[in-house]
Amino acid sequence: RGYRLNKANFRRLADDFCSGFVRNRAVGRKNLSKDQRLQSVNLGGTMFPFHPEISREPWRPDTIFFGCLKAPKDAPTQLADGTAMVKAMQEETLQTLSTTRLLYQHPTTKENAERWLGIEDATLSALDQAGDSKPFKFEIDDDGNYIRVFTVPCLYKPMFSENLAFGNHILFSRFFHNIRTFPLLEDYSEIPEDLCQEMNDLAHKICYPHLWRKGDILMVDNTRFM
């Protein structure tokens, strides 16, 4: 709180802690630097469902930085601790999610599959022989479309805690985009609606609202918090 914040020293602060960066290609943001390492938050006052940054991909960043150049009025940023969510879960829910893996699938091209796998012709048999090439597995659907797939455990250990955490793209996809098929369960079935609602309600119960002041900086563990 009270940092003498501008774009240049905010960038230097992040560079001191980070060896690299991941660019978010989401719409609704303005790029504030030529290399697109600095972005605005999404403009507007709509609250997003809880999610870690870029949790829809296997290369979600470890850490995210927020810097406040101009404080919004009565618009806090809500932070939900994924380890606190696990501790607050009902025992039956905890047992279910402890053995659950989530499956994310993205459309891709034959050329991308061949480049990633290092093969010349990504036929169905060639993909079967290639198997999993971490972090992706490549598939061809019934319509001949290429898909890249990766799976992650629903509950996992974050960077700086031995306690399990809940943090993924479920709530954002279900309650913002109204998409029921991204992510799926590992067996390609949909995540039950009552489970999604239970997790959404729980996140709102345990969240911390950060009320912004000019010069505030938040450095957030993106493996633990949504």
Side-chain angles (χ1 to χ4, degrees):
R1 174 143 283 173
Y3 195 79
R4 294 181 179 178
L5 183 66
N6 57 46
K7 290 190 290 185
N9 60 28
F10 185 57
R11 169 63 180 270
R12 285 195 295 270
L13 177 71
D15 283 346
D16 282 344
F17 284 97
C18 301
S19 60
F21 73 101
V22 180
R23 184 172 63 201
N24 193 328
R25 299 178 184 275
V27 297
R29 300 183 180 186
K30 290 184 177 180
N31 289 313
L32 303 180
S33 63
K34 289 183 179 180
D35 63 6
Q36 301 181 37
R37 180 176 284 201
L38 295 181
Q39 295 178 316
S40 73
V41 294
N42 283 72
L43 306 180
T46 302
M47 182 177 175
F48 286 137
F50 287 103
H51 64 288
E53 190 77 357
I54 320 183
S55 54
R56 64 188 182 275
E57 295 283 5
W59 45 72
R60 75 161 81 172
D62 297 327
T63 309
I64 55 175
F65 292 78
F66 290 101
C68 184
L69 292 171
K70 181 179 180 181
K73 294 181 179 179
D74 302 321
T77 291
Q78 307 283 348
L79 298 169
D81 182 347
T83 62
M85 284 188 65
V86 172
K87 289 179 181 179
M89 286 178 185
Q90 299 179 19
E91 185 61 31
E92 182 180 356
T93 302
L94 177 58
Q95 291 180 1
T96 298
L97 296 186
S98 295
T99 57
T100 295
R101 292 185 69 86
L102 304 176
L103 182 144
Y104 295 83
Q105 50 184 347
H106 295 262
T108 188
T109 64
K110 180 181 180 182
E111 291 73 23
N112 282 339
E114 291 167 348
R115 187 180 307 114
W116 189 273
L117 296 173
I119 60 178
E120 293 184 358
D121 189 11
T123 61
L124 185 59
S125 60
L127 295 182
D128 288 340
Q129 291 178 6
D132 292 352
S133 178
K134 301 297 183 184
F136 297 122
K137 179 180 180 181
F138 291 88
E139 300 176 348
I140 305 175
D141 66 16
D142 294 339
D143 296 321
N145 300 309
Y146 281 77
I147 301 168
R148 62 174 172 88
V149 176
F150 74 95
T151 66
V152 292
C154 191
L155 304 182
Y156 56 90
K157 289 184 180 180
M159 286 193 298
F160 304 115
S161 174
E162 291 300 310
N163 297 317
L164 292 175
F166 176 94
N168 49 62
H169 203 65
I170 291 175
L171 304 182
F172 190 89
S173 187
R174 185 66 61 96
F175 298 113
F176 188 77
H177 290 301
N178 195 30
I179 297 175
R180 305 177 64 89
T181 56
F182 186 83
L184 293 166
L185 298 178
E186 191 175 22
D187 64 0
Y188 290 82
S189 63
E190 290 184 6
I191 302 167
E193 182 67 24
D194 59 345
L195 182 58
C196 295
Q197 191 60 60
E198 180 183 349
M199 292 300 98
N200 193 49
D201 293 343
L202 188 56
H204 280 274
K205 286 180 181 178
I206 60 93
C207 70
Y208 155 71
H210 181 78
L211 291 167
W212 291 98
R213 294 183 191 174
K214 183 179 179 180
D216 280 0
I217 287 179
L218 285 183
M219 181 179 178
V220 181
D221 178 356
N222 195 49
T223 71
R224 174 172 171 173
F225 289 87
M226 297 190 292

